[in-house]
Amino acid sequence: MNLTLLLPEIIVIVGGLAVMLRDLWLPADRKDGLWAWALAVPLIALAATFLPQLDVAARISVDGAMIVNPEATALSGSFYLDGMSMLLKRAFCVAAALVILMSREYLSELNRGQGEFWSLALFALSGMFFCASANDFMSLFVALEVVTVSFFVLVAFKRSSGTSIEAGLKLLVMGSLSAALMLYGIAFVYGASGTVFFDQVVVNGEVTRTGLRDLLATGQLVYSTELLIGVMLIFLGLGFKTSAVPLHVWVPDVYQGAPTPVTAYLSVGSKLAGFVLMLRVLEVFSRSGPMVDSLTPFLALVAAVTLFYGNLGALPQSNIKRLLGYSSIGQCGYILLGIASAWTVGISGTLFYMTAYVVTNLAAFAVVILVSRATNSHEIDDYSGLGRKNPLLAAALTVALLSLAGVPPFIGFFGKFMLIGSTFGSDELRWLGLVGMVNVVIALYYYLCVIKRIYMREERHPAKSVVPLRLKVVLAISMAALVIGGIAPQFLADKTAEIAEELQFAPRPRGGEHR
Amino acid sequence: METGPLLAVVCLFMPMLSALLIAVLGGRMPKICDLIGIGTMGVSLLCAIVLGLGHATYGAQTWEFTWITMDVGWVTSEPLSWTLGITVDGLTTALLLVVTLVSFLVHLFSKGYMHGDDRYVDFYRWLGLFTFSMLGLILSDNLLTLFVFWEVMGLASYKLIGHYFFKQSAFMACKKAFMTTRVGDIGMFLALLAIYLYTDSLQFKEIFANLDMIPVGAQFWIAMGLFMGAAGKSAQFPLHIWLPDAMEGPTPVSALIHAATMVAAGVYLVGRMYTLIVLSPGALVIISIIGCFTALMAASIAFTRTDIKQVLAYSTVSQLGFMFTALGVGSNIAWKAGLFHLATHAMFKACLFLGSGSVIHGCHHLQDMTKMGGLRKKMPITAMTYLVACLAIAGFPFTAGFWSKDMILQALWAGNGHFDDVYKIIYVVLALAAAMTAAYMFRSYFLTFEGKPRDQHVHDHAHESPWTMTTGLIVLATMAIAAGYKWHDALLPNSPGGLEGVLSPIATFAKTFVIHGEGNEVAHHAHTIALYTSLTVAFGGMILAGVWYMTAFGVGLRQKMRAMIGPLYGWASGKFFIDEFVQMVFINTSIFFAELTSWIDSALLDGFVDGTGSVTMKTGAASGVADDAIVDGAVTLAGNSAWWGGALLGRFQSGRIRNYLFGAVASVALFAVVMLYIVAR
């Protein structure tokens, strides 16, 4: 047992419990200060991820083949720490910290259950951590459910509001369906392979459990229809978290109905947890050529439909949260482009985009929170004249939306460039790149419609937004990340390229001539 | 980063900083936005001066910023690098000096002129953004960022010209300016694409290194495309129509945009890409002919204007024509002459515009010269500076305009060995235009400042402008003389001393292409002829204007001459009906086509879509799943009905959870079927 590797997880879980207990002892009039406790947890966990003890080589070379380093695994091989999980854990910490900073005002208005809110947010964070490190299907499932169940409660947190309850219920029902699909898929994989472990489990030098990576690498497990159906069902189940078609239907309703800070958290945390698991499963099965050959058209199809659904659906929206909901479906489509291409550059782009997406989307939601506090509305028309009322806020929203749309020089541009570019490496996926480009144009339209209202319309609500210090910090951090990431993207791009190399995806695209 | 590029970068980003600071602080502290603007521009100006003085040390330097390098795997085996850069050489330095000086003075002048304006803060903000984009355009070391700045500048000028947007005329003017220059941009964009296709790069140094990769036939079209973009921005026939209308903007804006910066961008583009353009003698002669025609046409229209700013507007169009005429010769000296005139023109024309602004300000927003007269005593500083600038533009000996115009004529006479007869004709026509320039400029001076007041009321209330405004006038008037000397010396090879360092790299650059003709002998010969010609036309024009407008005899003479030239006067005062022609032929035709396509769209396409839609609805009733696929398909087919498609998708978002569950399970099943089919294939 190598428990040191689990240090960030332990910090978050203990922190969540501590916040819950602290809440019990705090008198009612001092509960507002609890946010600082909650904020400390992801920050400490973030610091912990930089500990040298956690810096273990993820792969080692044995007889010329790169295999998983047992030193980097824990909990009998269920837990695995590599570059991808570290990057994502850091992203999750940043996301959770920013969301906690955003939620304080909302919670003091609610005036109830602060302790539960913070500890649920932290438990969801621990679930995301385990997702990033899951190394077998059981821990994958459990970790994912930790996230989802926490979110059921968080979404329905505003008990006085019918829409919030309804959103929570929808998430619950759709979540159960997706969990069922995923378990069904896991059952298929188990049936075909006889194992749920990604890696073989070695106890005292003796292999006690076989692992999918090894079975696939040695050819003991070959491609079969059952296996394919299983993996496809798992992807569909994970697609629920990432808001991919066909299990995306909950997204607009839940985004609109949930408390805005929760929507923000959902849109980055939960989504990225789904993506990191998609990458992990894809990485395991990319050991088998026929498997990748069959999965690629499937993922490409999902990506294309998701892109069109999200971006076309966003066009007629008049509610900003709903618009961001559809936009989040569209953004999922882009990330799927890179996953479908399944080669180093595509995966690097995927990781780049995922990281960029955290700050971009949170910045947009921070502005949404602030504006709705002043105007008491989420209608896009009520953003008219924001440029005159709150020029800085308007500029922040503009930058965030432009980055989401993929306009240089903001960070989103390079993400989109890498993702769409990765599809052009392969003759079979070139059409998908064109779909992506068409969708860039569609998406630009609805993002620009919001920006047009901000600057070119007379204001409807005279109320100016008051920006508390905490949200100023959120906006400052995310804006700095957006702009610096856009001007100097090299650092992140190098990092993600390195991780993609480590994941051992194909170095060249399938069916692509190296020109 | 070395000192030279560092200075250039500071110089570049100061106006941007100004725009940002004003955007942030302007709402709270509207009083200090002028100080921010003036202060940052002062820093920019200082940087430019240091760069200019130290040019010999800094030399030609470039600085590249690698945005990102990544392995994309599909373009080349090399990792793809995105680099942006700035380049500091003689041409850049010279223009930096011109732009920052004029921009600084305009910022200062506006403090007085725009005082009390409702949108004072907005004005300064856009002024900052405008200057930033102009500096970026000059400093770019590649055509891509040049084009981006080119377009940003278009936007900023749109906002500045439309400053008084509540006036219908100003609103129309800014739209016209934007759209007309966009027409030119089409050519420029195509030229950029062609350059990229042939040379695989948009970096200047790469393009110039790979010129032999451009086929001969394409050279002509690329040159013409670039010139088309230049003609749009620099107001050459037939795209000059936006500039006179753009006088609707505040006068300081006219001084900045229409004298020194934006209109200079086109000339700069041709100058920068000269190594490519000189490859095609046909393109060169076309540029020269269009420039010369524009010079003459605009000069004749300027005679008929009574609005002081309109005279200056047409004069600008005409002077830009001079620059293009020179650039169209395609020799070493022609290149220098064109850009030298750009610099000197910026000085005296900015002075004239600011002078007219001072007059307009002093006469309480009166622009009609027929109501002025005798203002010299009321506004002595304005009158003196205006006179100096008039002398400069007329080509009076030893003023800046004299040297540059002389050089243009000299270049024309020397020719380039290809179409020398054509250039001789152009020479004569341009000399005529120069004479007309002297005459109409002095007409405007005499009408405004000399003679008896024609409107006593205006005259009584006229006053001299405050120091913020007159400072700019004095500096620019000084420059209208001084700019001819040091620069002129520096431009002539073999001449020592002075600010030689500023412009000598131009000379070395210019030597890289062939000088046609027989070297010094021809050049000397041309020089003598050009000298006599420019002296004759300058004095001829000035004396003519003096006789016409300052003597009793002149009134009758004018009428006689007007009768003599017959309908020409009417044509000129109708601006040769180019605006009407454009309206009729281009705008009305496009509106017709727009309506036609809109009709096709609504009657045919929508009918088709509606038909498909209703058929689909009926089919869809049978199966919700089929509905999804077919309606979606039809909608995407319709293309421009994307919105409708979005609304339709919303219908699936009914909010009913049982529908969601059914939809999800059905589509999972559908996916499974489709996938198994694909896999089984």
Side-chain angles (χ1 to χ4, degrees), chain B residues 320-368:
Chain B
L320 289 164
F322 277 76
M323 298 168 208
F324 279 108
T325 314
L327 288 174
V329 177
S331 65
N332 193 332
I333 186 164
W335 185 79
K336 277 189 268 169
L339 292 161
F340 181 35
H341 195 58
L342 171 68
T344 57
H345 171 256
M347 296 304 155
F348 56 69
K349 187 51 69 63
C351 182
L352 288 169
F353 265 119
L354 291 184
S356 78
S358 178
V359 170
I360 295 166
H361 187 73
C363 294
H364 304 280
H365 293 273
L366 178 83
Q367 297 185 208
D368 192 349

Side-chain angles (χ1 to χ4, degrees), chain A residues 170 173 223 228 232 246 249 252-253 298 309 312 315-316 322 326 343 345 413-414 417 421 486-487 489-490 508 515, chain B residues 65 67-74 77 80 82 642-643 646-647 649 653 655 657 660-661 664 667-668 671 675 679:
Chain A
K170 274 179 185 155
V173 175
Y223 169 79
L228 178 66
M232 273 167 49
V249 262
D253 293 357
F298 163 69
Y309 194 100
L312 287 180
L315 291 177
R322 226 176 152 74
Y326 277 102
W343 63 295
V345 169
F413 167 73
F414 288 101
F417 179 81
I487 293 171
Q490 191 73 57
R508 289 286 150 209
R515 284 186 289 152
Chain B
F65 162 71
W67 203 347
I68 186 168
T69 305
M70 58 186 170
D71 179 20
V72 288
W74 43 268
S77 51
L80 182 71
W82 294 33
W643 183 282
L649 287 177
Q653 209 75 44
I657 204 153
Y660 288 5
L661 285 175
S667 27
V668 167
F671 264 111
M675 282 315 302
V679 172

Side-chain angles (χ1 to χ4, degrees), chain B residues 464-475:
Chain B
E464 182 58 284
S465 304
W467 70 270
T468 45
M469 294 164 76
T470 48
T471 311
L473 292 176
I474 294 166
V475 173

